[in-house]
PDB file of all heavy atoms in Angstrom:
ATOM      1  N   ALA A 199       5.990  -9.503 -17.507  1.00 78.00           N
ATOM      2  CA  ALA A 199       7.175  -9.243 -18.326  1.00 78.00           C
ATOM      3  C   ALA A 199       6.820  -8.884 -19.757  1.00 78.00           C
ATOM      4  O   ALA A 199       7.700  -8.586 -20.555  1.00 78.00           O
ATOM      5  CB  ALA A 199       8.091 -10.477 -18.313  1.00 78.00           C
ATOM      6  N   ALA A 200       5.530  -8.923 -20.103  1.00 76.00           N
ATOM      7  CA  ALA A 200       5.106  -8.617 -21.466  1.00 76.00           C
ATOM      8  C   ALA A 200       5.308  -7.132 -21.762  1.00 76.00           C
ATOM      9  O   ALA A 200       5.457  -6.317 -20.852  1.00 76.00           O
ATOM     10  CB  ALA A 200       3.643  -8.996 -21.659  1.00 76.00           C
ATOM     11  N   ARG A 201       5.311  -6.807 -23.040  1.00 72.00           N
ATOM     12  CA  ARG A 201       5.416  -5.412 -23.430  1.00 72.00           C
ATOM     13  C   ARG A 201       4.215  -5.038 -24.282  1.00 72.00           C
ATOM     14  O   ARG A 201       3.980  -5.675 -25.295  1.00 72.00           O
ATOM     15  CB  ARG A 201       6.694  -5.174 -24.219  1.00 72.00           C
ATOM     16  CG  ARG A 201       6.954  -3.693 -24.477  1.00 72.00           C
ATOM     17  CD  ARG A 201       8.283  -3.460 -25.116  1.00 72.00           C
ATOM     18  NE  ARG A 201       8.524  -2.030 -25.252  1.00 72.00           N
ATOM     19  CZ  ARG A 201       9.577  -1.513 -25.873  1.00 72.00           C
ATOM     20  NH1 ARG A 201      10.476  -2.309 -26.393  1.00 72.00           N
ATOM     21  NH2 ARG A 201       9.736  -0.208 -25.955  1.00 72.00           N
ATOM     22  N   PRO A 202       3.399  -4.091 -23.924  1.00 74.00           N
ATOM     23  CA  PRO A 202       3.539  -3.245 -22.738  1.00 74.00           C
ATOM     24  C   PRO A 202       3.239  -4.015 -21.459  1.00 74.00           C
ATOM     25  O   PRO A 202       2.513  -5.009 -21.476  1.00 74.00           O
ATOM     26  CB  PRO A 202       2.494  -2.151 -22.964  1.00 74.00           C
ATOM     27  CG  PRO A 202       1.449  -2.800 -23.794  1.00 74.00           C
ATOM     28  CD  PRO A 202       2.187  -3.748 -24.711  1.00 74.00           C
ATOM     29  N   GLU A 203       3.829  -3.560 -20.371  1.00 81.00           N
ATOM     30  CA  GLU A 203       3.642  -4.228 -19.092  1.00 81.00           C
ATOM     31  C   GLU A 203       2.184  -4.161 -18.657  1.00 81.00           C
ATOM     32  O   GLU A 203       1.512  -3.146 -18.840  1.00 81.00           O
ATOM     33  CB  GLU A 203       4.528  -3.582 -18.022  1.00 81.00           C
ATOM     34  CG  GLU A 203       6.010  -3.829 -18.260  1.00 81.00           C
ATOM     35  CD  GLU A 203       6.863  -3.115 -17.247  1.00 81.00           C
ATOM     36  OE1 GLU A 203       6.369  -2.138 -16.638  1.00 81.00           O
ATOM     37  OE2 GLU A 203       8.024  -3.520 -17.045  1.00 81.00           O
ATOM     38  N   ARG A 204       1.709  -5.258 -18.083  1.00 89.00           N
ATOM     39  CA  ARG A 204       0.341  -5.332 -17.590  1.00 89.00           C
ATOM     40  C   ARG A 204       0.365  -5.680 -16.109  1.00 89.00           C
ATOM     41  O   ARG A 204       1.354  -6.227 -15.614  1.00 89.00           O
ATOM     42  CB  ARG A 204      -0.469  -6.363 -18.385  1.00 89.00           C
ATOM     43  CG  ARG A 204      -0.596  -5.990 -19.869  1.00 89.00           C
ATOM     44  CD  ARG A 204      -1.376  -7.031 -20.650  1.00 89.00           C
ATOM     45  NE  ARG A 204      -1.510  -6.643 -22.048  1.00 89.00           N
ATOM     46  CZ  ARG A 204      -2.477  -5.868 -22.525  1.00 89.00           C
ATOM     47  NH1 ARG A 204      -3.409  -5.407 -21.691  1.00 89.00           N
ATOM     48  NH2 ARG A 204      -2.542  -5.552 -23.799  1.00 89.00           N
ATOM     49  N   TYR A 205      -0.729  -5.385 -15.427  1.00 92.00           N
ATOM     50  CA  TYR A 205      -0.826  -5.632 -13.993  1.00 92.00           C
ATOM     51  C   TYR A 205      -1.807  -6.775 -13.744  1.00 92.00           C
ATOM     52  O   TYR A 205      -2.921  -6.786 -14.278  1.00 92.00           O
ATOM     53  CB  TYR A 205      -1.281  -4.370 -13.258  1.00 92.00           C
ATOM     54  CG  TYR A 205      -0.214  -3.307 -13.195  1.00 92.00           C
ATOM     55  CD1 TYR A 205      -0.051  -2.400 -14.235  1.00 92.00           C
ATOM     56  CD2 TYR A 205       0.650  -3.219 -12.111  1.00 92.00           C
ATOM     57  CE1 TYR A 205       0.934  -1.427 -14.198  1.00 92.00           C
ATOM     58  CE2 TYR A 205       1.637  -2.252 -12.058  1.00 92.00           C
ATOM     59  CZ  TYR A 205       1.772  -1.356 -13.098  1.00 92.00           C
ATOM     60  OH  TYR A 205       2.763  -0.401 -13.053  1.00 92.00           O
ATOM     61  N   VAL A 206      -1.351  -7.747 -12.951  1.00 92.00           N
ATOM     62  CA  VAL A 206      -2.166  -8.905 -12.587  1.00 92.00           C
ATOM     63  C   VAL A 206      -2.100  -9.070 -11.073  1.00 92.00           C
ATOM     64  O   VAL A 206      -1.212  -8.500 -10.414  1.00 92.00           O
ATOM     65  CB  VAL A 206      -1.653 -10.187 -13.288  1.00 92.00           C
ATOM     66  CG1 VAL A 206      -1.780 -10.066 -14.797  1.00 92.00           C
ATOM     67  CG2 VAL A 206      -0.203 -10.479 -12.899  1.00 92.00           C
ATOM     68  N   PRO A 207      -3.035  -9.843 -10.480  1.00 93.00           N
ATOM     69  CA  PRO A 207      -2.966 -10.050  -9.023  1.00 93.00           C
ATOM     70  C   PRO A 207      -1.665 -10.738  -8.621  1.00 93.00           C
ATOM     71  O   PRO A 207      -1.199 -11.660  -9.284  1.00 93.00           O
ATOM     72  CB  PRO A 207      -4.183 -10.944  -8.745  1.00 93.00           C
ATOM     73  CG  PRO A 207      -5.111 -10.705  -9.890  1.00 93.00           C
ATOM     74  CD  PRO A 207      -4.246 -10.454 -11.076  1.00 93.00           C
ATOM     75  N   ALA A 208      -1.084 -10.287  -7.525  1.00 92.00           N
ATOM     76  CA  ALA A 208       0.163 -10.882  -7.043  1.00 92.00           C
ATOM     77  C   ALA A 208      -0.083 -12.215  -6.348  1.00 92.00           C
ATOM     78  O   ALA A 208       0.836 -13.010  -6.178  1.00 92.00           O
ATOM     79  CB  ALA A 208       0.884  -9.920  -6.104  1.00 92.00           C
ATOM     80  N   ARG A 209      -1.320 -12.465  -5.923  1.00 91.00           N
ATOM     81  CA  ARG A 209      -1.699 -13.725  -5.275  1.00 91.00           C
ATOM     82  C   ARG A 209      -3.176 -13.960  -5.517  1.00 91.00           C
ATOM     83  O   ARG A 209      -3.831 -13.166  -6.208  1.00 91.00           O
ATOM     84  CB  ARG A 209      -1.374 -13.696  -3.781  1.00 91.00           C
ATOM     85  CG  ARG A 209      -1.742 -12.427  -3.055  1.00 91.00           C
ATOM     86  CD  ARG A 209      -0.955 -12.221  -1.782  1.00 91.00           C
ATOM     87  NE  ARG A 209      -1.047 -10.849  -1.284  1.00 91.00           N
ATOM     88  CZ  ARG A 209      -1.722 -10.484  -0.222  1.00 91.00           C
ATOM     89  NH1 ARG A 209      -2.403 -11.389   0.477  1.00 91.00           N
ATOM     90  NH2 ARG A 209      -1.738  -9.231   0.179  1.00 91.00           N
ATOM     91  N   ALA A 210      -3.695 -15.052  -4.997  1.00 90.00           N
ATOM     92  CA  ALA A 210      -5.101 -15.370  -5.203  1.00 90.00           C
ATOM     93  C   ALA A 210      -5.987 -14.242  -4.686  1.00 90.00           C
ATOM     94  O   ALA A 210      -5.704 -13.649  -3.635  1.00 90.00           O
ATOM     95  CB  ALA A 210      -5.445 -16.684  -4.499  1.00 90.00           C
ATOM     96  N   LEU A 211      -7.033 -13.917  -5.431  1.00 88.00           N
ATOM     97  CA  LEU A 211      -7.900 -12.798  -5.051  1.00 88.00           C
ATOM     98  C   LEU A 211      -8.537 -12.997  -3.684  1.00 88.00           C
ATOM     99  O   LEU A 211      -8.737 -12.031  -2.937  1.00 88.00           O
ATOM    100  CB  LEU A 211      -8.990 -12.609  -6.106  1.00 88.00           C
ATOM    101  CG  LEU A 211      -8.526 -12.143  -7.502  1.00 88.00           C
ATOM    102  CD1 LEU A 211      -9.711 -12.028  -8.439  1.00 88.00           C
ATOM    103  CD2 LEU A 211      -7.785 -10.822  -7.414  1.00 88.00           C
ATOM    104  N   GLU A 212      -8.872 -14.256  -3.350  1.00 88.00           N
ATOM    105  CA  GLU A 212      -9.492 -14.508  -2.048  1.00 88.00           C
ATOM    106  C   GLU A 212      -8.500 -14.350  -0.901  1.00 88.00           C
ATOM    107  O   GLU A 212      -8.910 -14.325   0.274  1.00 88.00           O
ATOM    108  CB  GLU A 212     -10.111 -15.907  -2.006  1.00 88.00           C
ATOM    109  CG  GLU A 212      -9.160 -17.019  -2.376  1.00 88.00           C
ATOM    110  CD  GLU A 212      -9.185 -17.327  -3.861  1.00 88.00           C
ATOM    111  OE1 GLU A 212      -9.666 -16.473  -4.650  1.00 88.00           O
ATOM    112  OE2 GLU A 212      -8.730 -18.408  -4.230  1.00 88.00           O
ATOM    113  N   ALA A 213      -7.207 -14.225  -1.239  1.00 89.00           N
ATOM    114  CA  ALA A 213      -6.198 -14.019  -0.207  1.00 89.00           C
ATOM    115  C   ALA A 213      -5.810 -12.556  -0.061  1.00 89.00           C
ATOM    116  O   ALA A 213      -4.854 -12.225   0.652  1.00 89.00           O
ATOM    117  CB  ALA A 213      -4.952 -14.852  -0.520  1.00 89.00           C
ATOM    118  N   ILE A 214      -6.539 -11.671  -0.745  1.00 89.00           N
ATOM    119  CA  ILE A 214      -6.239 -10.233  -0.682  1.00 89.00           C
ATOM    120  C   ILE A 214      -7.413  -9.526  -0.006  1.00 89.00           C
ATOM    121  O   ILE A 214      -8.449  -9.260  -0.647  1.00 89.00           O
ATOM    122  CB  ILE A 214      -6.014  -9.646  -2.088  1.00 89.00           C
ATOM    123  CG1 ILE A 214      -4.900 -10.390  -2.822  1.00 89.00           C
ATOM    124  CG2 ILE A 214      -5.665  -8.158  -1.988  1.00 89.00           C
ATOM    125  CD1 ILE A 214      -4.667  -9.908  -4.236  1.00 89.00           C
ATOM    126  N   PRO A 215      -7.327  -9.216   1.280  1.00 88.00           N
ATOM    127  CA  PRO A 215      -8.405  -8.475   1.946  1.00 88.00           C
ATOM    128  C   PRO A 215      -8.520  -7.057   1.381  1.00 88.00           C
ATOM    129  O   PRO A 215      -7.522  -6.446   0.988  1.00 88.00           O
ATOM    130  CB  PRO A 215      -7.974  -8.453   3.417  1.00 88.00           C
ATOM    131  CG  PRO A 215      -6.916  -9.502   3.539  1.00 88.00           C
ATOM    132  CD  PRO A 215      -6.250  -9.588   2.207  1.00 88.00           C
ATOM    133  N   VAL A 216      -9.731  -6.552   1.318  1.00 85.00           N
ATOM    134  CA  VAL A 216      -9.940  -5.183   0.854  1.00 85.00           C
ATOM    135  C   VAL A 216      -9.205  -4.207   1.766  1.00 85.00           C
ATOM    136  O   VAL A 216      -8.643  -3.202   1.305  1.00 85.00           O
ATOM    137  CB  VAL A 216     -11.445  -4.866   0.817  1.00 85.00           C
ATOM    138  CG1 VAL A 216     -11.682  -3.400   0.450  1.00 85.00           C
ATOM    139  CG2 VAL A 216     -12.150  -5.770  -0.184  1.00 85.00           C
ATOM    140  N   LYS A 217      -9.160  -4.513   3.046  1.00 85.00           N
ATOM    141  CA  LYS A 217      -8.477  -3.626   3.996  1.00 85.00           C
ATOM    142  C   LYS A 217      -6.994  -3.483   3.670  1.00 85.00           C
ATOM    143  O   LYS A 217      -6.396  -2.428   3.908  1.00 85.00           O
ATOM    144  CB  LYS A 217      -8.644  -4.205   5.416  1.00 85.00           C
ATOM    145  CG  LYS A 217      -8.016  -3.373   6.533  1.00 85.00           C
ATOM    146  CD  LYS A 217      -8.729  -2.048   6.696  1.00 85.00           C
ATOM    147  CE  LYS A 217      -8.393  -1.392   8.027  1.00 85.00           C
ATOM    148  NZ  LYS A 217      -6.986  -1.322   8.346  1.00 85.00           N
ATOM    149  N   SER A 218      -6.382  -4.547   3.099  1.00 87.00           N
ATOM    150  CA  SER A 218      -4.951  -4.467   2.773  1.00 87.00           C
ATOM    151  C   SER A 218      -4.683  -3.464   1.665  1.00 87.00           C
ATOM    152  O   SER A 218      -3.593  -2.878   1.599  1.00 87.00           O
ATOM    153  CB  SER A 218      -4.428  -5.847   2.369  1.00 87.00           C
ATOM    154  OG  SER A 218      -5.006  -6.265   1.143  1.00 87.00           O
ATOM    155  N   VAL A 219      -5.646  -3.249   0.770  1.00 87.00           N
ATOM    156  CA  VAL A 219      -5.483  -2.238  -0.278  1.00 87.00           C
ATOM    157  C   VAL A 219      -5.417  -0.846   0.342  1.00 87.00           C
ATOM    158  O   VAL A 219      -4.556  -0.026  -0.003  1.00 87.00           O
ATOM    159  CB  VAL A 219      -6.637  -2.332  -1.296  1.00 87.00           C
ATOM    160  CG1 VAL A 219      -6.505  -1.243  -2.359  1.00 87.00           C
ATOM    161  CG2 VAL A 219      -6.676  -3.712  -1.938  1.00 87.00           C
ATOM    162  N   LEU A 220      -6.317  -0.583   1.277  1.00 85.00           N
ATOM    163  CA  LEU A 220      -6.307   0.720   1.953  1.00 85.00           C
ATOM    164  C   LEU A 220      -5.063   0.896   2.809  1.00 85.00           C
ATOM    165  O   LEU A 220      -4.490   1.991   2.880  1.00 85.00           O
ATOM    166  CB  LEU A 220      -7.563   0.856   2.812  1.00 85.00           C
ATOM    167  CG  LEU A 220      -8.899   0.781   2.050  1.00 85.00           C
ATOM    168  CD1 LEU A 220     -10.061   0.816   3.033  1.00 85.00           C
ATOM    169  CD2 LEU A 220      -9.008   1.928   1.060  1.00 85.00           C
ATOM    170  N   ASP A 221      -4.622  -0.195   3.467  1.00 86.00           N
ATOM    171  CA  ASP A 221      -3.409  -0.109   4.289  1.00 86.00           C
ATOM    172  C   ASP A 221      -2.184   0.179   3.433  1.00 86.00           C
ATOM    173  O   ASP A 221      -1.272   0.897   3.860  1.00 86.00           O
ATOM    174  CB  ASP A 221      -3.213  -1.423   5.056  1.00 86.00           C
ATOM    175  CG  ASP A 221      -4.243  -1.609   6.151  1.00 86.00           C
ATOM    176  OD1 ASP A 221      -4.855  -0.598   6.569  1.00 86.00           O
ATOM    177  OD2 ASP A 221      -4.444  -2.758   6.593  1.00 86.00           O
ATOM    178  N   ALA A 222      -2.142  -0.383   2.214  1.00 86.00           N
ATOM    179  CA  ALA A 222      -0.987  -0.166   1.326  1.00 86.00           C
ATOM    180  C   ALA A 222      -0.831   1.312   0.993  1.00 86.00           C
ATOM    181  O   ALA A 222       0.289   1.837   0.922  1.00 86.00           O
ATOM    182  CB  ALA A 222      -1.141  -0.990   0.048  1.00 86.00           C
ATOM    183  N   ILE A 223      -1.962   1.998   0.792  1.00 84.00           N
ATOM    184  CA  ILE A 223      -1.908   3.424   0.474  1.00 84.00           C
ATOM    185  C   ILE A 223      -1.615   4.248   1.721  1.00 84.00           C
ATOM    186  O   ILE A 223      -0.860   5.221   1.693  1.00 84.00           O
ATOM    187  CB  ILE A 223      -3.236   3.859  -0.164  1.00 84.00           C
ATOM    188  CG1 ILE A 223      -3.385   3.190  -1.528  1.00 84.00           C
ATOM    189  CG2 ILE A 223      -3.312   5.365  -0.325  1.00 84.00           C
ATOM    190  CD1 ILE A 223      -2.279   3.490  -2.499  1.00 84.00           C
ATOM    191  N   ALA A 224      -2.183   3.844   2.854  1.00 82.00           N
ATOM    192  CA  ALA A 224      -1.963   4.594   4.095  1.00 82.00           C
ATOM    193  C   ALA A 224      -0.513   4.549   4.539  1.00 82.00           C
ATOM    194  O   ALA A 224      -0.021   5.484   5.180  1.00 82.00           O
ATOM    195  CB  ALA A 224      -2.865   4.032   5.199  1.00 82.00           C
ATOM    196  N   LEU A 225       0.194   3.461   4.197  1.00 76.00           N
ATOM    197  CA  LEU A 225       1.579   3.290   4.636  1.00 76.00           C
ATOM    198  C   LEU A 225       2.596   3.753   3.599  1.00 76.00           C
ATOM    199  O   LEU A 225       3.781   3.476   3.731  1.00 76.00           O
ATOM    200  CB  LEU A 225       1.832   1.811   4.966  1.00 76.00           C
ATOM    201  CG  LEU A 225       1.009   1.245   6.128  1.00 76.00           C
ATOM    202  CD1 LEU A 225       1.262  -0.249   6.290  1.00 76.00           C
ATOM    203  CD2 LEU A 225       1.333   1.984   7.418  1.00 76.00           C
ATOM    204  N   SER A 226       2.151   4.445   2.543  1.00 71.00           N
ATOM    205  CA  SER A 226       3.066   4.943   1.519  1.00 71.00           C
ATOM    206  C   SER A 226       2.905   6.451   1.385  1.00 71.00           C
ATOM    207  O   SER A 226       1.872   7.011   1.756  1.00 71.00           O
ATOM    208  CB  SER A 226       2.791   4.264   0.173  1.00 71.00           C
ATOM    209  OG  SER A 226       1.516   4.627  -0.307  1.00 71.00           O
ATOM    210  N   ASP A 227       3.924   7.084   0.823  1.00 62.00           N
ATOM    211  CA  ASP A 227       3.850   8.527   0.620  1.00 62.00           C
ATOM    212  C   ASP A 227       3.267   8.825  -0.749  1.00 62.00           C
ATOM    213  O   ASP A 227       2.827   7.935  -1.470  1.00 62.00           O
ATOM    214  CB  ASP A 227       5.226   9.170   0.802  1.00 62.00           C
ATOM    215  CG  ASP A 227       6.249   8.647  -0.208  1.00 62.00           C
ATOM    216  OD1 ASP A 227       5.836   7.970  -1.167  1.00 62.00           O
ATOM    217  OD2 ASP A 227       7.440   8.918  -0.028  1.00 62.00           O
ATOM    218  N   ASP A 228       3.292  10.106  -1.145  1.00 57.00           N
ATOM    219  CA  ASP A 228       2.679  10.509  -2.409  1.00 57.00           C
ATOM    220  C   ASP A 228       3.389   9.920  -3.613  1.00 57.00           C
ATOM    221  O   ASP A 228       2.806   9.819  -4.688  1.00 57.00           O
ATOM    222  CB  ASP A 228       2.676  12.043  -2.533  1.00 57.00           C
ATOM    223  CG  ASP A 228       1.713  12.678  -1.551  1.00 57.00           C
ATOM    224  OD1 ASP A 228       0.854  11.940  -1.020  1.00 57.00           O
ATOM    225  OD2 ASP A 228       1.825  13.887  -1.297  1.00 57.00           O
ATOM    226  N   ASP A 229       4.655   9.553  -3.461  1.00 55.00           N
ATOM    227  CA  ASP A 229       5.413   8.983  -4.562  1.00 55.00           C
ATOM    228  C   ASP A 229       5.345   7.467  -4.596  1.00 55.00           C
ATOM    229  O   ASP A 229       6.062   6.831  -5.363  1.00 55.00           O
ATOM    230  CB  ASP A 229       6.886   9.417  -4.485  1.00 55.00           C
ATOM    231  CG  ASP A 229       7.034  10.909  -4.719  1.00 55.00           C
ATOM    232  OD1 ASP A 229       6.240  11.445  -5.530  1.00 55.00           O
ATOM    233  OD2 ASP A 229       7.909  11.533  -4.116  1.00 55.00           O
ATOM    234  N   GLY A 230       4.514   6.874  -3.733  1.00 52.00           N
ATOM    235  CA  GLY A 230       4.366   5.428  -3.733  1.00 52.00           C
ATOM    236  C   GLY A 230       5.406   4.691  -2.928  1.00 52.00           C
ATOM    237  O   GLY A 230       5.362   3.470  -2.812  1.00 52.00           O
ATOM    238  N   ARG A 231       6.358   5.422  -2.351  1.00 56.00           N
ATOM    239  CA  ARG A 231       7.397   4.773  -1.554  1.00 56.00           C
ATOM    240  C   ARG A 231       6.894   4.517  -0.138  1.00 56.00           C
ATOM    241  O   ARG A 231       5.965   5.169   0.330  1.00 56.00           O
ATOM    242  CB  ARG A 231       8.652   5.651  -1.508  1.00 56.00           C
ATOM    243  CG  ARG A 231       9.276   5.874  -2.873  1.00 56.00           C
ATOM    244  CD  ARG A 231      10.373   6.902  -2.806  1.00 56.00           C
ATOM    245  NE  ARG A 231       9.839   8.207  -2.415  1.00 56.00           N
ATOM    246  CZ  ARG A 231      10.548   9.315  -2.424  1.00 56.00           C
ATOM    247  NH1 ARG A 231      11.811   9.295  -2.771  1.00 56.00           N
ATOM    248  NH2 ARG A 231       9.997  10.467  -2.067  1.00 56.00           N
ATOM    249  N   GLU A 232       7.542   3.580   0.519  1.00 57.00           N
ATOM    250  CA  GLU A 232       7.146   3.270   1.888  1.00 57.00           C
ATOM    251  C   GLU A 232       7.419   4.469   2.781  1.00 57.00           C
ATOM    252  O   GLU A 232       8.500   5.065   2.749  1.00 57.00           O
ATOM    253  CB  GLU A 232       7.917   2.048   2.386  1.00 57.00           C
ATOM    254  CG  GLU A 232       7.464   1.563   3.753  1.00 57.00           C
ATOM    255  CD  GLU A 232       8.148   0.284   4.167  1.00 57.00           C
ATOM    256  OE1 GLU A 232       8.914  -0.258   3.355  1.00 57.00           O
ATOM    257  OE2 GLU A 232       7.929  -0.166   5.290  1.00 57.00           O
ATOM    258  N   ASP A 233       6.430   4.841   3.550  1.00 52.00           N
ATOM    259  CA  ASP A 233       6.543   6.018   4.423  1.00 52.00           C
ATOM    260  C   ASP A 233       7.359   5.644   5.658  1.00 52.00           C
ATOM    261  O   ASP A 233       6.876   4.975   6.567  1.00 52.00           O
ATOM    262  CB  ASP A 233       5.154   6.498   4.822  1.00 52.00           C
ATOM    263  CG  ASP A 233       5.192   7.889   5.455  1.00 52.00           C
ATOM    264  OD1 ASP A 233       6.311   8.401   5.655  1.00 52.00           O
ATOM    265  OD2 ASP A 233       4.118   8.438   5.731  1.00 52.00           O
ATOM    266  N   ALA A 234       8.624   6.084   5.648  1.00 47.00           N
ATOM    267  CA  ALA A 234       9.525   5.728   6.752  1.00 47.00           C
ATOM    268  C   ALA A 234       9.406   6.685   7.929  1.00 47.00           C
ATOM    269  O   ALA A 234       9.976   6.458   8.993  1.00 47.00           O
ATOM    270  CB  ALA A 234      10.978   5.698   6.260  1.00 47.00           C
ATOM    271  N   PHE A 235       8.681   7.775   7.747  1.00 50.00           N
ATOM    272  CA  PHE A 235       8.552   8.771   8.811  1.00 50.00           C
ATOM    273  C   PHE A 235       7.413   8.356   9.739  1.00 50.00           C
ATOM    274  O   PHE A 235       6.262   8.272   9.339  1.00 50.00           O
ATOM    275  CB  PHE A 235       8.272  10.149   8.211  1.00 50.00           C
ATOM    276  CG  PHE A 235       8.264  11.254   9.221  1.00 50.00           C
ATOM    277  CD1 PHE A 235       9.458  11.745   9.717  1.00 50.00           C
ATOM    278  CD2 PHE A 235       7.077  11.790   9.683  1.00 50.00           C
ATOM    279  CE1 PHE A 235       9.469  12.773  10.649  1.00 50.00           C
ATOM    280  CE2 PHE A 235       7.073  12.811  10.609  1.00 50.00           C
ATOM    281  CZ  PHE A 235       8.283  13.300  11.091  1.00 50.00           C
ATOM    282  N   SER A 236       7.728   8.074  10.961  1.00 56.00           N
ATOM    283  CA  SER A 236       6.706   7.620  11.915  1.00 56.00           C
ATOM    284  C   SER A 236       6.626   8.593  13.095  1.00 56.00           C
ATOM    285  O   SER A 236       7.629   9.176  13.504  1.00 56.00           O
ATOM    286  CB  SER A 236       7.034   6.213  12.433  1.00 56.00           C
ATOM    287  OG  SER A 236       8.292   6.205  13.069  1.00 56.00           O
ATOM    288  N   VAL A 237       5.430   8.766  13.600  1.00 55.00           N
ATOM    289  CA  VAL A 237       5.186   9.665  14.722  1.00 55.00           C
ATOM    290  C   VAL A 237       4.512   8.869  15.828  1.00 55.00           C
ATOM    291  O   VAL A 237       3.570   8.111  15.578  1.00 55.00           O
ATOM    292  CB  VAL A 237       4.288  10.851  14.298  1.00 55.00           C
ATOM    293  CG1 VAL A 237       3.972  11.728  15.498  1.00 55.00           C
ATOM    294  CG2 VAL A 237       4.960  11.654  13.195  1.00 55.00           C
ATOM    295  N   THR A 238       5.019   9.027  17.046  1.00 63.00           N
ATOM    296  CA  THR A 238       4.390   8.376  18.194  1.00 63.00           C
ATOM    297  C   THR A 238       3.289   9.287  18.720  1.00 63.00           C
ATOM    298  O   THR A 238       3.568  10.355  19.275  1.00 63.00           O
ATOM    299  CB  THR A 238       5.426   8.106  19.303  1.00 63.00           C
ATOM    300  OG1 THR A 238       6.473   7.301  18.764  1.00 63.00           O
ATOM    301  CG2 THR A 238       4.773   7.390  20.470  1.00 63.00           C
ATOM    302  N   PRO A 239       2.010   8.911  18.523  1.00 63.00           N
ATOM    303  CA  PRO A 239       0.924   9.818  18.915  1.00 63.00           C
ATOM    304  C   PRO A 239       0.722   9.850  20.423  1.00 63.00           C
ATOM    305  O   PRO A 239       1.130   8.942  21.154  1.00 63.00           O
ATOM    306  CB  PRO A 239      -0.285   9.222  18.195  1.00 63.00           C
ATOM    307  CG  PRO A 239       0.030   7.763  18.089  1.00 63.00           C
ATOM    308  CD  PRO A 239       1.518   7.661  17.933  1.00 63.00           C
ATOM    309  N   GLU A 240       0.090  10.901  20.880  1.00 67.00           N
ATOM    310  CA  GLU A 240      -0.306  11.023  22.279  1.00 67.00           C
ATOM    311  C   GLU A 240      -1.340   9.933  22.578  1.00 67.00           C
ATOM    312  O   GLU A 240      -2.019   9.426  21.684  1.00 67.00           O
ATOM    313  CB  GLU A 240      -0.891  12.427  22.497  1.00 67.00           C
ATOM    314  CG  GLU A 240      -1.018  12.822  23.958  1.00 67.00           C
ATOM    315  CD  GLU A 240      -2.445  12.617  24.455  1.00 67.00           C
ATOM    316  OE1 GLU A 240      -3.333  12.511  23.593  1.00 67.00           O
ATOM    317  OE2 GLU A 240      -2.627  12.547  25.672  1.00 67.00           O
ATOM    318  N   ALA A 241      -1.457   9.530  23.830  1.00 75.00           N
ATOM    319  CA  ALA A 241      -2.250   8.356  24.210  1.00 75.00           C
ATOM    320  C   ALA A 241      -3.691   8.460  23.718  1.00 75.00           C
ATOM    321  O   ALA A 241      -4.250   7.485  23.183  1.00 75.00           O
ATOM    322  CB  ALA A 241      -2.210   8.187  25.722  1.00 75.00           C
ATOM    323  N   ARG A 242      -4.313   9.631  23.882  1.00 72.00           N
ATOM    324  CA  ARG A 242      -5.709   9.762  23.455  1.00 72.00           C
ATOM    325  C   ARG A 242      -5.834   9.670  21.937  1.00 72.00           C
ATOM    326  O   ARG A 242      -6.782   9.093  21.414  1.00 72.00           O
ATOM    327  CB  ARG A 242      -6.282  11.091  23.957  1.00 72.00           C
ATOM    328  CG  ARG A 242      -6.488  11.151  25.469  1.00 72.00           C
ATOM    329  CD  ARG A 242      -6.819  12.558  25.914  1.00 72.00           C
ATOM    330  NE  ARG A 242      -5.701  13.471  25.658  1.00 72.00           N
ATOM    331  CZ  ARG A 242      -5.741  14.792  25.909  1.00 72.00           C
ATOM    332  NH1 ARG A 242      -6.831  15.346  26.406  1.00 72.00           N
ATOM    333  NH2 ARG A 242      -4.693  15.546  25.661  1.00 72.00           N
ATOM    334  N   VAL A 243      -4.853  10.250  21.211  1.00 70.00           N
ATOM    335  CA  VAL A 243      -4.864  10.160  19.746  1.00 70.00           C
ATOM    336  C   VAL A 243      -4.654   8.713  19.306  1.00 70.00           C
ATOM    337  O   VAL A 243      -5.309   8.211  18.384  1.00 70.00           O
ATOM    338  CB  VAL A 243      -3.779  11.073  19.146  1.00 70.00           C
ATOM    339  CG1 VAL A 243      -3.683  10.887  17.637  1.00 70.00           C
ATOM    340  CG2 VAL A 243      -4.063  12.529  19.498  1.00 70.00           C
TER     341      VAL A 243
END
């Protein structure tokens, strides 16, 4: 809530897997919003 706004961990660092950082980006669009468009891939894909 400080001005200027700063970014801090939302939870304990040991509770944040590195994979979750990559998943957060993979599940969002270019504007940072949650990607609601889902595609059901073919079985081999």
